[in-house]
Amino acid sequence: MSEVMQELDKKQITRLNKLQKRLRREVGSAIADYNMIEEGDRVMCCLSGGKDSYAMLDILLNLQQRAPVQFEIVAVNLDQKQPGFPEEVLPAYLDSLGVAYHILEKDTYSIVKDKIPEGKTTCSLCSRLRRGTLYGFAQRIGATKIALGHHRDDIIETLFLNMFYGGKMKAMPPKLLSDDGANMVIRPLAYCREKDIAEYAKLKAFPIIPCNLCGSQENLKRAEVKNMLKLWDKQFPGRIETIFTAMQNTAPSQGVDRNVFDFMALERNPDAPASGEVAEADLPAFDFMDVSNSGHIDLDNAAKHADSSQRIEVVGVYQP
């Protein structure tokens, strides 16, 4: 029995096992639904030291033992030279797991501090610099997939951020091909709830390293959206699940984006049979002249007195 399991009581062990099964099932479903991992893949698992990436690595290692395909996992951390970063934590943890890993050292901290004015959000630039470094390293080590620890809440929050502040219906796809076509990014936690991951990380006692590049600065816009979604989840249970389901069931022809649906080419077919929501044969038979004086047609009343086997016969049109 692991040291973590020894320190938990019976109730906590039961809860940990339940969470692990749920997360493993959700990650497995996401991988299968989006064909994230294939035979012979070398998956570069990006480890930041936060709860999400720890959980992702843990679940992927667990699934690796049971998966119907063979794949390799390589953990990679980018040491961005933040002051006070505990550089010994991740190597010690990864050594205890026996997983192959690389620690990259690149001083993006100085770049961010030099380019972003004091008090402004640094997350965007920091993310771009980190992504560029990781993309390049993935090609150097022959990684076929780059696994990131974004979960379902991140995906939904990004949707609303882009809607509210970017004017776009855009989120984080579970699987993404980089613009140059050289890297495939996957998000195995796409179906997992953040609160489940947080509880799992606590029970597993992952050695969490907080991001203090900006003094644990909170992205205010994302925090605002996160709080909105938390309130909805509390007031309207099931709403968050419905939102994510809606993201999986888009209907371009029912939207207004001319770039994803060709509205200009739509043409009515004059020879098409009446087969909409209500066909002509389904309407009650009555004489339009009976109601032409008032200009109103009471279909409900007509249906009570009409022979349902008859069809509508228009014998006159009211001209006010």
Side-chain angles (χ1 to χ4, degrees):
M1 183 179 293
S2 68
E3 293 181 8
V4 172
M5 296 290 276
Q6 289 176 352
E7 294 178 2
L8 299 178
D9 59 33
K10 186 175 180 180
K11 185 177 180 180
Q12 289 173 318
I13 292 174
T14 300
R15 180 58 181 166
L16 175 60
N17 290 334
K18 184 177 180 179
L19 277 172
Q20 185 179 57
K21 289 179 181 178
R22 179 187 299 166
L23 293 172
R24 189 170 59 201
R25 181 180 66 253
E26 290 170 343
V27 171
S29 295
I31 290 174
D33 288 350
Y34 295 93
N35 192 31
M36 292 185 185
I37 298 177
E38 302 170 87
E39 180 69 36
D41 267 340
R42 191 174 203 204
V43 181
M44 188 176 94
C45 191
C46 298
L47 201 63
S48 66
K51 67 183 190 314
D52 305 327
S53 59
Y54 273 125
M56 177 181 66
L57 176 63
D58 184 89
I59 298 299
L60 285 179
L61 288 172
N62 193 283
L63 287 175
Q64 185 185 38
Q65 302 173 14
R66 301 168 172 80
V69 297
Q70 296 292 317
F71 64 94
E72 183 183 354
I73 294 176
V74 179
V76 174
N77 168 256
L78 175 59
D79 181 352
Q80 298 175 269
K81 296 304 173 183
Q82 304 166 19
F85 181 79
E87 57 184 31
E88 74 285 349
V89 172
L90 279 170
Y93 175 74
L94 294 170
D95 282 335
S96 71
L97 295 179
V99 63
Y101 69 89
H102 299 281
I103 305 295
L104 311 181
E105 297 184 8
K106 188 175 180 64
D107 187 5
T108 61
Y109 175 84
S110 297
I111 298 175
V112 170
K113 286 299 183 182
D114 179 63
K115 299 295 183 182
I116 303 298
E118 190 69 29
K120 296 293 184 179
T121 301
T122 61
C123 301
S124 179
L125 177 58
C126 179
S127 177
R128 290 200 302 272
L129 293 172
R130 185 170 60 247
R131 183 167 59 246
T133 302
L134 292 173
Y135 276 13
F137 189 71
Q139 295 180 51
R140 287 182 58 187
I141 64 173
T144 55
K145 302 288 170 59
I146 301 174
L148 303 180
H150 298 119
H151 44 67
R152 190 188 68 181
D153 297 67
D154 288 324
I155 293 173
I156 296 175
E157 287 166 16
T158 303
L159 171 68
F160 283 99
L161 278 170
N162 281 314
M163 286 174 58
F164 293 165
Y165 303 106
K168 295 180 180 180
M169 293 287 287
K170 176 183 175 182
M172 290 178 175
K175 187 177 181 182
L176 172 71
L177 183 64
S178 62
D179 292 339
D180 60 7
N183 291 290
M184 185 70 74
V185 175
I186 59 174
R187 296 182 169 99
L189 301 181
Y191 289 173
C192 302
R193 300 181 300 179
E194 182 177 19
K195 59 185 179 182
D196 287 342
I197 295 171
E199 185 179 2
Y200 185 70
K202 184 177 180 180
L203 290 171
K204 290 284 288 187
F206 294 139
I208 304 297
I209 302 174
C211 176
N212 58 3
L213 173 62
C214 38
S216 297
Q217 176 192 54
E218 185 68 70
N219 184 322
L220 298 181
K221 291 179 180 178
R222 182 171 288 275
E224 180 181 324
V225 171
K226 184 185 289 288
N227 289 334
M228 178 190 75
L229 293 174
K230 283 184 177 180
L231 181 62
W232 283 359
D233 193 34
K234 182 178 181 180
Q235 292 182 332
F236 312 103
R239 173 171 288 187
I240 305 305
E241 286 75 13
T242 302
I243 291 173
F244 191 75
T245 300
M247 295 174 68
Q248 297 174 295
N249 292 279
T250 57
S253 65
Q254 307 302 304
V256 295
D257 191 341
R258 292 171 293 153
N259 294 316
V260 297
F261 188 80
D262 191 359
F263 293 97
M264 297 292 287
L266 283 181
E267 293 184 1
R268 174 183 169 274
N269 182 0
D271 299 319
S275 58
E277 293 182 357
V278 179
E280 181 184 352
D282 297 327
L283 292 172
F286 62 94
D287 187 337
F288 271 71
M289 293 297 289
D290 291 343
V291 294
S292 63
N293 289 333
S294 66
H296 295 279
I297 302 174
D298 188 347
L299 295 178
D300 292 330
N301 187 55
K304 297 176 183 178
H305 303 93
D307 181 349
S308 61
S309 65
Q310 298 179 18
R311 294 169 63 83
I312 292 178
E313 180 181 359
V314 179
V315 294
V317 178
Y318 172 60
Q319 299 287 346

